[in-house]
Amino acid sequence: MITVVVPVYNAEKYLDECLGSILAQSYSDFELLLFIGKCTDFSREICEKYKASDTRVQIYDQIKVGPGGARNQGLDIAKGEYIYFCDADDLLTRDCLKTFVSMATIGNHDIVESNAFMLTQKGEGWVTETLGCSFWAITIGHDSVERYANPAVWKYFSRVDLWRDNNIRFADFLTSMDDLATYSLLFRSAKNPLFILNNLYYYRVFAGSLSHTPSRLRGRFQNIFKICEYLSSEFKKRNMFMQSKYTLAGQMEHHGRVALNAIPDLTDEERIMFSQNLAEHIRECFEVQLSVFDCGCFSWGSSLVHALSDRIGHCPLKGNIKIESKSIWGIGNDEIKDVAQSIRECKANLAIIDLINETGNIAEIEDITDHLPEWENKFRLFIEEIKGALERPSQVVIVENYYCLLDNSGSEIKPFDNYKDLEFLNDVLKLYYETARKVIGEENFLPPAPQKIMFSEKGIPTDYNSCIIAYHHNNVMDQIR
């Protein structure tokens, strides 16, 4: 049997649709537990109507404020072998529970995570999009995408014993974001997780809702501080802290940045103060040396390193500078000095570089063997100027990046028409990276992304999909911490 838990608070507008979608499931062996807060609308009456017509429905008064408290009540009294959480303004696809229980039992999985449909309000109607990271979790592992994943409870279906045996509960001291405080803890405790591509849930996104008022958005940002403390404490209790701290720090940085940027009335002074406070808190809670809120970035090379700069450089006292469509070989010494001066002016303390643009001059090079020693000298001058311009403490990171050989912009993944030319350019790039290692050392290099994720989604060999960016972002941050 499955236990389905729904916290209910002033949800009358969509509650009928939600409960109807649950009770109409193609899989019928479940109990539906409704936990009702202090509603001022007709939510209770709607719940009572469904209880009167279906014996699977049970109603309870919510003991603690917030959805986390209701979910914990459900965990305490659940009779099912599995548990699933649904929000009162969302709805399930007809085969949601059937798919989850089938996938969980076939492979004896203690937790199954799926994708979902996102319903975005547009005028009087709704636009449907896919929300989820299951493909990336399957391809390169959940740990690699966990820092950016939506942690919503309705994405996963789990054994009740996974929660009870590991003493995991929702952080019911939070009035929002309690699922963020639980997500990593649950997946680190799972022995046999499974990720599936099915869209099994409809998640509503409301424009201008009460949860997006300035005061609520400030409250969400302050919750990040509490979640940092909670996760640090819980992971240390379970002896999982050391192998998880970089992932947790990255997760809090991502969600902290999103929460901070969502505050509409933030002054420049507040942005500086909030960023500094969160950076200090992340460093302290997760025992890391550096946060994205400490970094200003200089990026040189492809769109990949510029995307990394955007994700990493979030110190409001430092700037980001991007140099596009230039090769190190193709610029003069005076131009290199101008670049260095720009770095000083923006107070960047991190340089992220790839060598994609070095292949732009390949047609002019008669003999690559003769060319590389000259290029090595130019690269050495370039690196010396960059290092001298970066604010201390500083780091230079070389991302070993290549052209995508595969195109996924159509109905299927296929090689680019100029696949052989791109292969040749990648072989040349390998020579440049080998030469660069002589100058800067292996310790400053990050490995290339796995081949299984090296495809373009826009039909451009230098369009790097979100998974490639996330993969390198994780490596950069883990390197500099």
Side-chain angles (χ1 to χ4, degrees), residues 451-469:
Q451 281 299 313
K452 56 189 172 183
I453 64 172
M454 282 296 292
F455 56 81
S456 167
E457 294 179 322
K458 295 181 180 178
I460 304 170
T462 52
D463 165 65
Y464 300 100
N465 64 59
S466 59
C467 187
I468 299 173
I469 296 169

Side-chain angles (χ1 to χ4, degrees), residues 10 70 82 115 164 214 239-240 296 337 404 424:
N10 287 348
Y82 297 93
N115 291 332
R164 292 175 177 170
N239 295 317
M240 298 188 297
K337 293 184 182 298
C404 296
F424 169 74

Side-chain angles (χ1 to χ4, degrees), residues 9-10 12 37-43:
Y9 177 72
N10 287 348
E12 65 176 3
K38 296 180 179 179
C39 300
T40 57
D41 64 0
F42 289 99
S43 292

